[in-house]
């Protein structure tokens, strides 16, 4: 009797472990192990390509920090991220406010919303190739801008040092604003109508209502969406790699392309691992704040 | 007074409509141009005047793609990888979500923190160790390399999503089944899973789209034409013949179709997945 009871208890104790095991084991093997590996690599030379690599201490870190291109890529990534995030937010907010208005019938609003989200579902490499066509020297955008006398010559948007980065950011803004639009729309629908009615009775105009009711109510969503967007936008690789490859020169080099080139063009896996560790630490710091923010919101 | 309010409403509505129209052109014009170009003969792509409606519409570009076994292979690979990743993610996430939602056990908090924190890891940071691990495991240039690595980025979301969903279901239901002599498997598959179908669909949609769109690992962990997925394959077209824009646009359109279909039919779930991270319900 006692034995059966104990066996039963043992089984019920083991049950949850049985259920979480596949997820945890997979994530340990494919997450913890590679993180340890990449940190390990960053302290050795000639890793991955040869078997006999030597411990070099912080030499790889010194090499990375002394490389101007690394700092260029850090600056470009920061610039790309900040401008993208600001415009994602502005466009997303404007579209969300327009789509939330009850001046237009809700059926129309639903169709509009469906179409406005489209850029977000497209594969990055498809976004890249479509915009390469649109912004090519003979492309439709040059054609329209010249027709409207806004520009006087054809621009090769992605191949000119001064234009490549702004053009990439422009494309990224296009593909990223729907995320804000959707979360802000959900936020707007959550604001009680009572606030607006009370404000109308007090004689507030539309702008005042937006400034004193809408914006403060959206603040938590704006904050967490922007934080998440910063984290995700910093990861940029596919768009830059497939449109400009980091060029012309190093004008669009971002951290992702910098690491990729170190590894697969120069086969310097040790230095690439070192930059990976640096990115990893940076991301962890930003994510720490994001998770803390989310926690604070839950409490 | 009433008249002036009505007039102001009219003005506001007109302005709003203009704003929406501009927004609409901005958001869907690239799509329309992609489809339009895919239906033009290649010598018409940059022909002046440039028109949205093809002057001599043709399906030649699509014909070439459908008759190219390499290109069809990209689609097959993408579909296989995305479906397998989605299926595995669902099963593993449902199991883990059940444990997190219904049991108290030692290490639960730690495991939960671990899963949440894995989302902070940028994919590029794992590229090099994955490359060497996958080579060591003899999986380089196989679809398994992609399936395994994609799971790392779909599982955390899946587990958190399923845990959240199961948490909303009353535990009294489980107990009723338990009293009737049902096992945990019965509770999970007969009670929790059917009720959580919306959460499961949302997870599946998210996972599928993520896998379909992935680029970095598809680029680095596969090598031969026959193992490439759509996102990488489309880029290879540029290298091959830079000027065949109609074909590249046709390929882009075909490559977007699975995601577009999912989006049109599961819009609610896509939107739910997008807002899950930011909006507190």
């Amino acid at each position: 009797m006692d034995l059966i009871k104990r066996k039963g208890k043992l089984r019920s104790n083991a049950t949850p472990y049985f259920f979480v095991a596949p997820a945890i084991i997979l994530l340990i093997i494919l997450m913890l192990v590679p993180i340890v590996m990449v940190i390990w690599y960053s302290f050795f030379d000639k890793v991955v390509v040869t078997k006999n690599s030597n411990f070099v201490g912080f030499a790889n870190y010194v090499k990375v920090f002394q490389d101007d291109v690394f700092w260029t890529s850090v600056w470009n990534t920061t610039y790309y991220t900040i401008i993208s995030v600001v415009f994602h937010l502005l466009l997303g907010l404007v579209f969300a406010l327009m789509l939330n208005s009850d001046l237009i019938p809700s059926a129309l609003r639903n169709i509009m919303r469906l179409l406005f989200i489209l850029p977000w579902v497209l594969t990055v490499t498809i976004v890249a190739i479509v915009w390469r066509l649109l912004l090519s020297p003979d492309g439709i955008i040059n054609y329209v801008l010249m027709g409207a006398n806004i520009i006087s010559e054809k621009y090769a948007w992605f191949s000119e040092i001064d234009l490549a980065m702004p053009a990439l950011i422009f494309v990224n803004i296009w593909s990223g604003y729907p995320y804000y639009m959707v979360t802000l729309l959900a936020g707007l629908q959550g604001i009680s109508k009572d606030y607006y009615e009370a404000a109308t009775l007090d004689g507030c105009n539309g702008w005042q209502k937006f400034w004193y009711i809408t914006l403060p109510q959206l603040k938590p969503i704006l904050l967490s969406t922007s934080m998440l967007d910063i984290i995700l936008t910093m990861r940029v690789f596919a768009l830059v790699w497939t449109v400009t490859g980091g060029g012309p020169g190093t004008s669009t080099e971002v951290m992702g392309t910098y690491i990729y080139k170190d590894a697969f063009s120069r086969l310097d896996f040790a230095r690439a691992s070192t930059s990976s560790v640096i990115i990893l630490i940076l991301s962890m710091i930003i994510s720490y704040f994001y998770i803390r923010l989310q926690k604070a919101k839950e409490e | 007074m009433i008249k002036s309010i009505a007039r102001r409403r009219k003005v506001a509505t007109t302005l709003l409509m203009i704003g929406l129209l501009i927004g609409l052109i901005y958001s869907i014009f690239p799509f329309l141009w992609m489809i339009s170009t895919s239906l033009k003969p290649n010598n018409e792509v940059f022909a002046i005047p440039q028109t949205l409606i093809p002057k001599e519409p043709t399906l030649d570009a699509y014909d070439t793609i459908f008759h190219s076994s390499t290109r069809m292979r990209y689609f097959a690979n993408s579909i296989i990888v995305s479906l397998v990743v989605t299926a595995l993610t669902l099963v593993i996430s449902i199991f883990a979500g059940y444990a997190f939602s219904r049991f108290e056990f030692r290490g639960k908090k730690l495991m939960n923190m671990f899963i949440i924190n894995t989302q902070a890891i940028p994919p590029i940071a794992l590229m090099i160790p994955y490359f060497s691990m996958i080579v060591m495991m003899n999986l380089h240039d196989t679809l398994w390399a992609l399936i395994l690595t994609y799971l790392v980025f779909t599982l955390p979301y899946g587990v958190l999503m399923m845990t959240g969903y199961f948490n909303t279901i009353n535990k009294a239901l489980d107990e009723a089944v338990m009293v009737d002599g049902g096992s945990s498997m019965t509770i999970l598959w007969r009670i929790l899973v059917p009720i959580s179908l919306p959460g499961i669909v949302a997870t599946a949609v998210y996972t599928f789209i993520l896998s379909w769109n992935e680029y970095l690992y598809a680029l680095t962990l596969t090598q031969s034409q026959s193992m490439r997925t759509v996102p990488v394959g489309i880029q290879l077209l540029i290298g091959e013949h830079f000027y065949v824009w109609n074909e590249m646009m046709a390929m882009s359109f075909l490559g977007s179709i699975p995601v577009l279909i999912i989006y049109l039919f599961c819009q609610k779930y896509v939107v739910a997945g997008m807002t899950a991270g930011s909006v507190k319900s």
Side-chain angles (χ1 to χ4, degrees):
Chain A
M1 186 62 198
D2 209 31
L3 192 75
I4 293 167
K5 217 172 161 185
R6 260 171 64 195
K7 220 175 154 186
K9 201 175 167 205
L10 195 74
R11 214 182 69 197
S12 76
N13 278 346
T15 314
Y17 294 106
F18 166 79
F19 282 110
V20 286
I24 294 296
I25 291 170
L26 251 169
L27 286 176
I28 287 177
I29 295 176
L30 289 166
M31 201 55 125
L32 276 188
V33 172
I35 289 174
V36 172
M37 276 169 82
V38 77
I39 296 172
W40 178 268
Y41 285 162
S42 72
F43 291 107
F44 286 79
D45 65 356
K46 292 177 275 182
V47 293
V48 182
V49 276
T50 59
K51 285 227 154 38
N52 39 354
S53 51
N54 309 299
F55 180 77
V56 293
F58 281 95
N60 289 322
Y61 287 87
V62 173
K63 242 169 55 182
V64 169
F65 286 133
Q66 283 177 346
D67 185 11
D68 289 342
V69 184
F70 170 75
W71 292 108
T72 308
S73 76
V74 171
W75 161 247
N76 283 343
T77 310
T78 313
Y79 173 63
Y80 176 93
T81 305
I82 291 175
I83 308 283
S84 296
V85 167
V86 168
F87 279 93
H88 283 163
L89 194 158
L90 289 177
L91 272 184
L93 182 60
V94 169
F95 287 161
L97 288 170
M98 288 200 298
L99 289 177
N100 194 50
S101 164
D102 47 17
L103 289 175
I104 42 171
S106 67
L108 185 66
R109 272 191 292 180
N110 287 339
I111 295 172
M112 289 281 194
R113 191 179 72 159
L114 185 83
L115 294 172
F116 278 21
I117 299 175
L118 275 183
W120 193 81
V121 292
L122 264 202
T123 306
V124 180
T125 54
I126 294 177
V127 169
I129 205 169
V130 170
W131 281 95
R132 278 177 76 156
L133 172 65
L134 294 167
L135 286 172
S136 74
D138 294 317
I140 180 73
I141 292 187
N142 274 336
Y143 179 73
V144 169
L145 290 179
M146 278 178 77
N149 274 324
I150 295 172
I151 55 172
S152 54
E153 54 175 322
K154 287 176 180 172
Y155 283 108
W157 299 94
F158 291 125
S159 356
E160 286 182 35
I161 288 200
D162 299 335
L163 295 178
M165 196 47 146
L168 278 175
I169 294 174
F170 182 82
V171 175
N172 186 253
I173 292 167
W174 179 79
S175 70
Y177 77 84
Y179 178 60
Y180 285 81
M181 194 189 84
V182 167
T183 56
L184 291 176
L185 211 47
L188 284 173
Q189 278 151 9
I191 303 176
S192 164
K193 291 263 185 290
D194 298 349
Y195 291 127
Y196 294 107
E197 275 160 25
T200 312
L201 288 179
D202 287 345
C204 290
N205 63 28
W207 178 249
Q208 285 170 321
K209 281 185 216 161
F210 172 74
W211 196 254
Y212 293 108
I213 301 171
T214 316
L215 221 47
Q217 289 284 323
L218 289 179
K219 203 178 135 203
I221 297 174
L222 280 171
L223 261 176
S224 59
T225 308
S226 312
M227 286 285 271
L228 196 61
D229 193 32
I230 290 172
I231 295 170
L232 296 178
T233 308
M234 272 179 63
R235 296 180 178 178
V236 55
F237 170 75
L239 183 68
V240 174
W241 184 245
T242 55
V243 175
T244 63
T250 54
S251 61
T252 59
E253 198 79 81
V254 288
M255 291 195 276
T257 54
Y258 178 77
I259 295 178
Y260 183 86
K261 282 182 187 169
D262 255 2
F264 293 100
S265 306
R266 300 191 194 95
L267 296 180
D268 192 344
F269 285 93
R271 205 176 78 168
S273 303
T274 311
S275 323
S276 303
V277 173
I278 297 167
I279 283 208
L280 192 66
I281 294 169
L282 272 176
S283 309
M284 296 297 271
I285 295 171
I286 296 174
S287 303
Y288 168 77
F289 286 108
Y290 174 69
I291 291 172
R292 233 180 52 173
L293 189 79
Q294 291 295 95
K295 272 232 169 97
K297 215 165 69 172
E298 267 156 41
E299 274 152 20
Chain B
M1 176 74 182
I2 287 168
K3 220 174 178 182
S4 98
I5 287 176
R7 194 184 311 133
R8 274 182 65 183
R9 255 185 97 88
K10 218 171 165 186
V11 171
T13 313
T14 318
L15 284 177
L16 191 63
M17 284 301 204
I18 294 170
L20 283 174
L21 191 68
I22 294 171
L24 189 66
I25 293 171
Y26 172 70
S27 58
I28 67 165
F29 180 77
F31 273 95
L32 300 177
W33 198 253
M34 166 176 85
I35 296 167
S36 148
T37 305
S38 76
L39 296 171
K40 289 175 180 172
N42 203 43
N43 58 19
E44 198 196 308
V45 172
F46 295 127
I48 289 176
Q50 301 207 20
T51 52
L52 184 61
I53 311 292
K55 277 166 278 201
E56 300 165 50
T58 164
L59 289 173
D60 283 357
Y62 292 93
D63 199 51
T64 317
I65 291 169
F66 287 127
H67 284 98
S68 151
S69 56
T70 6
R71 267 153 233 182
M72 293 320 282
R73 188 61 196 256
Y74 302 153
F75 282 100
N77 288 339
S78 272
I79 291 171
I80 294 169
V81 170
S82 305
L83 286 181
V84 174
V85 171
T86 306
L88 287 174
T89 302
L90 285 184
V91 173
I92 299 173
S93 303
I94 287 171
F95 276 159
Y98 176 57
F100 283 127
S101 164
R102 291 306 200 252
F103 296 89
E104 289 306 323
F105 52 95
R106 200 192 290 256
K108 176 173 163 175
K109 240 195 162 140
L110 186 73
M111 289 182 198
N112 206 17
M113 271 317 281
F114 172 58
I115 288 178
I116 291 173
N117 282 303
T118 53
Q119 293 179 307
I121 313 291
I124 190 99
L126 302 178
M127 174 183 74
I128 294 159
Y130 277 165
F131 179 71
S132 66
M133 275 171 93
I134 292 292
V135 170
M136 274 191 266
M137 287 154 90
N138 246 332
L139 292 175
H140 186 63
D141 206 19
T142 65
L143 297 184
W144 279 109
L146 304 185
I147 293 168
L148 278 175
T149 49
Y150 291 4
L151 275 174
V152 178
F153 295 91
T154 57
L155 273 179
Y157 179 87
V159 173
L160 296 175
M161 192 82 177
M162 290 323 299
T163 308
Y165 223 94
F166 289 155
N167 277 341
T168 63
I169 300 168
N170 198 330
K171 283 185 183 150
L173 272 174
D174 311 22
E175 275 147 29
V177 180
M178 204 78 111
V179 169
D180 288 346
S183 68
S184 11
M185 278 293 187
T186 329
I187 296 172
L188 181 57
W189 294 107
R190 293 280 162 82
I191 306 289
L192 295 179
V193 166
I195 300 180
S196 314
L197 216 54
I200 294 173
V201 176
T203 309
V205 164
Y206 173 87
T207 307
F208 189 92
I209 296 181
L210 203 81
S211 315
W212 186 269
N213 291 346
E214 205 284 332
Y215 178 72
L216 179 64
Y217 297 151
L219 179 70
T220 49
L221 303 180
T222 64
Q223 198 161 24
S224 56
Q225 285 271 359
S226 60
M227 288 299 152
R228 292 304 200 182
T229 55
V230 173
V232 180
I234 286 178
Q235 289 305 124
L236 291 176
L237 286 180
I238 301 187
E240 263 177 65
H241 11 230
F242 191 83
Y243 295 109
V244 194
W245 283 111
N246 62 344
E247 221 177 282
M248 293 195 287
M249 290 303 117
M251 189 77 185
S252 299
F253 180 54
L254 292 173
S256 318
I257 286 178
V259 176
L260 286 179
I261 292 176
I262 292 179
Y263 174 58
L264 291 179
F265 286 96
C266 309
Q267 202 212 137
K268 203 176 88 193
Y269 301 108
V270 176
V271 171
M274 280 169 93
T275 46
S278 307
V279 185
K280 196 187 151 191
S281 51

